[in-house]
Amino acid sequence: MSKTQKETGKAFDYTLLKRLLQFTKPYKITFYGVVIAAISLSAFAVLSPILLREIVNTALENKDQELLLNIIVLMLIVLVLEVVSQLSFVYYANWLGESVIKDIRIKLFKHMLSFKMKYYDNSSVGLLVTRAVTDIQRIGEIFSQGFFMIVSDLLKMVVVAGVMVFYSWKLALIVFAIMPIIIYATRVFQKAMKVAFIDVRAQVSNLNTFVQERLTGMKIVQFFNREKVEQEKFRVINEKHRNAWLKTVWYNSIFFPIAEIVSSVAIGLIVWYGGLRVVLNNNIDELGTIFMFIQLSQMLFRPLRQIADKFNVLQMGMVAANRVFAILDRKDTITNEGAFEKEEIKGDISFKNVHFGYVEGEEVLHGISFDVKAGETIAIVGATGAGKSTIINLLNRFYEINSGEILVDGVDIKDYKLTSLRDKIAVVLQDVFLFADTIENNISLKNEDITLDTITQAAQEISVHDFITSLPNDYQYNVKERGSMLSSGQRQLLAFLRAYVSNPSILILDEATSSVDTYSEQLIQKATEKITQGRTSIVIAHRLATIKKADKIIVMDAGNIIESGSHKELLKKGGYYYNLYQAQFVADEVA
């Protein structure tokens, strides 16, 4: 079965709707209130045509002014009650929809927070944003404009049909004879629109994904003069988006005039047949019935025309729900079944014959084994792609290993509660991510235990305080999206401060001194010496000058450990590390 067929599914997916209705349980009172309002609407809607019939057949024929006034007052009361019911129905149906999607969105975001990094490696950020924002909003429309509206309209049609049969089964037959034409047209329209809207959703996702990626990578676009190329790509994608929507407009422009013509034909037949009976039988009572049937036929046909549109809303919501539930049903979360947690971790680390690959069948680490004693500083060096950063990802359990063991203080990391393990590890990455927020919030990450005084004291201890106070509003300075208002060196300094204030037992520095200016590097070196004191530290670096003082240096190549020892020991061996050293330092001396 093709992807389109799978997404299209049934015209009305009861199983999916039932699953959605589970989210209304916390709002039972509102749910039943909406149902009652829908029933009330159906009752009040048919009362006005019935009262109009009484005015024409009784009050006007008998010239009874008092009865006429009483019926008009009654019609006003019915109208007010109908307006109140309509207002209650629309407001609370929308309120229920917004409440449901609030809960679904929270559940979806919580679920996405627990995904393995592998899921994000293979997923488009723009597509996930579409799922979490646009698609979930479509789900809300199932309640506000889809399901309840359809139920209300169907209920109204049943009541209207019953009243028609009760007052004149012959005129009712004329109306019912026209209905199959509208029903058939509605069905054809609904099928065509469902396919069209699936295309619309796909094009919306493509558009969001494209814009998200290009805005994020705007520097690359401009650095390499790719503006015209990207503009042309955007034009093509945008044109497909427009064409997808135009297809829905085309179907609407065909269907609604046809429905209007059929409805007008029905009214013409009612007037012709009813009027003929009045003329031939001289029966003035038929006039009121004709007026009533004209109104009732509109009440019967109008929902039919609108139901097609509401079915589209419902189906768009169903397609969106399918996509959102597909994410909620994914099992790409890190298993968090461990119960072990410690107030303090010493920091002993052991990798025992660890095998791992990001892609099945393609190993990145081939049986890695090494030990780090608590309080030691070890460095990991090697060429790009050797597997250095992979070790850091595995220690934090961003990915699950294929085989082997990773132990912290002699306990397998799978046996730790995930939050307990990560609370004891701090990481400073080469590519520092900062939120569009103040420096204080970027350091504390809204952790209530980390106060401004704590941050200030920590910043003074690692010599970052002067740099921060030189900025406007110092710790309240907004760094904007991804820290764009700061240099790469300044962002690195904030990353060191963020790691330091978390007071970790294990500190990881992943290329933390690369791509920074000399002044920032000197500050980072001072910060490194301070924050590595008394805690287990793992340093990944290309610049070998930053790791000379490490207790042990592990040299990796192609997913294997090929050498290990201190700086002096490795130089004496004259192996891979010696060659790296010669390449960097001899070249620098010549320069």
Side-chain angles (χ1 to χ4, degrees), residues 307-574:
I307 278 176
D309 197 36
K310 289 163 188 172
F311 251 109
N312 292 330
V313 172
L314 180 62
Q315 287 168 347
M316 285 182 71
M318 289 292 188
V319 171
N322 251 325
R323 291 175 170 179
V324 171
F325 286 139
I327 297 176
L328 285 172
D329 293 339
R330 289 190 71 96
K331 305 299 181 184
D332 285 322
T333 56
I334 292 286
T335 54
N336 190 16
E337 298 172 356
F340 190 81
E341 56 182 330
K342 274 184 171 183
E343 286 294 325
E344 295 293 333
I345 286 179
K346 290 192 299 178
D348 290 323
I349 301 172
S350 293
F351 274 61
K352 295 187 176 181
N353 196 30
V354 173
H355 290 261
F356 171 75
Y358 293 100
V359 179
E360 189 174 346
E362 297 180 18
E363 272 197 354
V364 175
L365 299 182
H366 312 290
I368 294 294
S369 296
F370 65 87
D371 295 306
V372 186
K373 294 180 181 178
E376 277 189 341
T377 295
I378 72 157
I380 304 176
V381 300
T384 301
K388 306 184 298 295
S389 296
T390 299
I391 289 175
I392 308 311
N393 289 332
L394 297 181
L395 183 60
N396 280 279
R397 287 200 69 202
F398 290 145
Y399 301 86
E400 300 284 18
I401 60 176
N402 297 345
S403 63
E405 287 183 305
I406 302 175
L407 310 177
V408 173
D409 285 2
V411 180
D412 195 312
I413 58 173
K414 290 181 180 178
D415 296 329
Y416 279 90
K417 282 187 176 179
L418 201 55
T419 52
S420 176
L421 175 69
R422 290 179 180 170
D423 272 346
K424 306 301 186 296
I425 302 174
V427 182
V428 179
L429 298 171
Q430 176 185 356
D431 184 17
V432 179
F433 187 92
L434 297 176
F435 296 95
D437 206 335
T438 63
I439 287 178
E440 179 189 356
N441 288 336
N442 269 291
I443 301 304
S444 68
L445 296 177
K446 303 291 182 73
N447 185 338
E448 295 178 357
D449 295 330
I450 300 176
T451 63
L452 181 58
D453 289 338
T454 304
I455 295 171
T456 304
Q457 183 178 345
Q460 290 170 342
E461 291 174 3
I462 65 171
S463 305
V464 180
H465 179 70
D466 291 342
F467 140 61
I468 296 175
T469 53
S470 69
L471 298 170
N473 300 323
D474 48 73
Y475 289 90
Q476 304 310 314
Y477 180 67
N478 192 313
V479 301
K480 304 302 180 183
E481 189 173 358
R482 301 180 68 90
S484 60
M485 301 302 291
L486 304 175
S487 69
S488 58
Q490 291 172 328
R491 291 196 294 271
Q492 285 286 4
L493 290 170
L494 293 184
F496 271 84
L497 180 57
R498 181 159 63 190
Y500 186 50
V501 297
S502 67
N503 192 27
S505 301
I506 299 171
L507 176 68
I508 298 168
L509 307 179
D510 188 357
E511 305 284 6
T513 58
S514 61
S515 304
V516 297
D517 57 86
T518 305
Y519 175 72
S520 296
E521 186 176 357
Q522 290 173 353
L523 290 177
I524 288 171
Q525 290 293 348
K526 290 180 183 178
T528 301
E529 291 175 8
K530 177 67 178 177
I531 69 177
T532 55
Q533 288 177 5
R535 56 173 56 92
T536 304
S537 302
I538 300 175
V539 180
I540 295 174
H542 279 304
R543 296 186 185 183
L544 303 187
T546 62
I547 58 172
K548 283 184 177 181
K549 297 179 182 179
D551 297 301
K552 183 193 295 183
I553 298 172
I554 294 173
V555 184
M556 294 188 67
D557 184 43
N560 294 291
I561 295 176
I562 56 174
E563 291 179 338
S564 66
S566 68
H567 174 69
K568 291 182 179 179
E569 290 170 347
L570 291 174
L571 286 180
K572 288 179 181 178
K573 287 183 180 180

Side-chain angles (χ1 to χ4, degrees), residues 28-317:
K28 280 184 179 179
I29 295 175
T30 303
F31 181 86
Y32 290 121
V34 172
V35 173
I36 292 169
I39 295 170
S40 302
L41 264 177
S42 303
F44 294 134
V46 297
L47 281 177
S48 291
I50 293 173
L51 291 173
L52 178 62
R53 178 182 180 275
E54 291 304 311
I55 287 176
V56 175
N57 287 355
T58 307
L60 294 182
E61 185 178 358
N62 299 324
K63 299 180 181 179
D64 190 335
Q65 294 182 9
E66 185 178 351
L67 179 61
L68 177 63
L69 182 61
N70 290 338
I71 294 176
I72 289 173
V73 170
L74 189 57
M75 287 182 74
L76 287 173
I77 294 171
V78 168
L79 181 62
V80 170
L81 291 174
E82 186 179 357
V83 169
V84 170
S85 298
Q86 181 76 20
L87 187 145
S88 302
F89 175 76
V90 172
Y91 177 79
Y92 286 106
N94 278 273
W95 185 92
L96 184 63
E98 291 300 320
S99 299
V100 165
I101 63 173
K102 178 203 69 175
D103 295 344
I104 295 176
R105 190 173 279 133
I106 289 171
K107 185 175 181 178
L108 178 67
F109 188 70
K110 182 180 178 182
H111 191 60
M112 289 195 296
L113 285 174
S114 67
F115 279 151
K116 302 174 187 176
M117 287 299 110
K118 185 176 181 180
Y119 177 80
Y120 293 104
D121 293 341
N122 300 321
S123 300
S124 160
V125 173
L127 185 141
L128 292 176
V129 169
T130 300
R131 297 291 177 268
V133 181
T134 310
D135 282 340
I136 287 187
Q137 200 62 45
R138 294 294 183 192
I139 293 174
E141 290 173 0
I142 289 177
F143 297 93
S144 61
Q145 301 176 38
F147 175 70
F148 285 119
M149 289 290 187
I150 290 172
V151 170
S152 174
D153 286 343
L154 289 175
L155 186 59
K156 188 183 294 184
M157 287 169 64
V158 169
V159 174
V160 167
V163 171
M164 281 182 166
V165 172
F166 178 79
Y167 280 99
S168 175
W169 64 269
K170 292 180 180 179
L171 286 175
L173 281 178
I174 292 175
V175 177
F176 297 161
I178 299 295
M179 281 185 66
I181 300 174
I182 291 187
I183 291 173
Y184 176 75
T186 300
R187 179 62 178 164
V188 171
F189 173 72
Q190 174 259 322
K191 282 184 176 180
M193 286 294 282
K194 183 170 186 181
V195 174
F197 273 128
I198 288 173
D199 189 28
V200 166
R201 298 307 316 138
Q203 296 307 326
V204 167
S205 292
N206 291 340
L207 192 62
N208 285 348
T209 300
F210 184 88
V211 172
Q212 167 89 24
E213 289 180 348
R214 270 56 185 185
L215 290 178
T216 304
M218 187 56 70
K219 281 187 178 179
I220 300 300
V221 172
Q222 294 184 356
F223 276 146
F224 291 93
N225 292 320
R226 304 297 292 173
E227 291 93 338
K228 288 186 178 179
V229 175
E230 297 303 329
Q231 185 176 345
E232 177 60 22
K233 288 181 181 178
F234 181 77
R235 187 193 65 76
V236 172
I237 292 173
N238 200 31
E239 190 170 326
K240 289 180 179 179
H241 178 265
R242 183 203 64 176
N243 291 341
W245 276 109
L246 283 178
K247 192 179 288 184
T248 68
V249 173
W250 170 247
Y251 291 144
N252 276 300
S253 64
I254 294 174
F255 171 75
F256 287 105
I258 290 175
E260 196 65 39
I261 290 169
V262 173
S263 176
S264 299
V265 168
I267 293 173
L269 289 173
I270 290 170
V271 173
W272 171 75
Y273 181 77
L276 201 60
R277 291 181 61 183
V278 171
V279 172
L280 294 177
N281 300 327
N282 198 25
N283 185 0
I284 198 66
D285 288 345
E286 289 290 335
L287 280 178
T289 305
I290 291 171
F291 281 115
M292 181 183 72
F293 264 76
I294 289 172
Q295 280 194 301
L296 290 177
S297 65
Q298 289 299 301
M299 290 182 184
L300 195 63
F301 291 137
R302 191 182 303 118
L304 269 179
R305 296 196 300 270
Q306 293 174 349
I307 278 176
D309 197 36
K310 289 163 188 172
F311 251 109
N312 292 330
V313 172
L314 180 62
Q315 287 168 347
M316 285 182 71

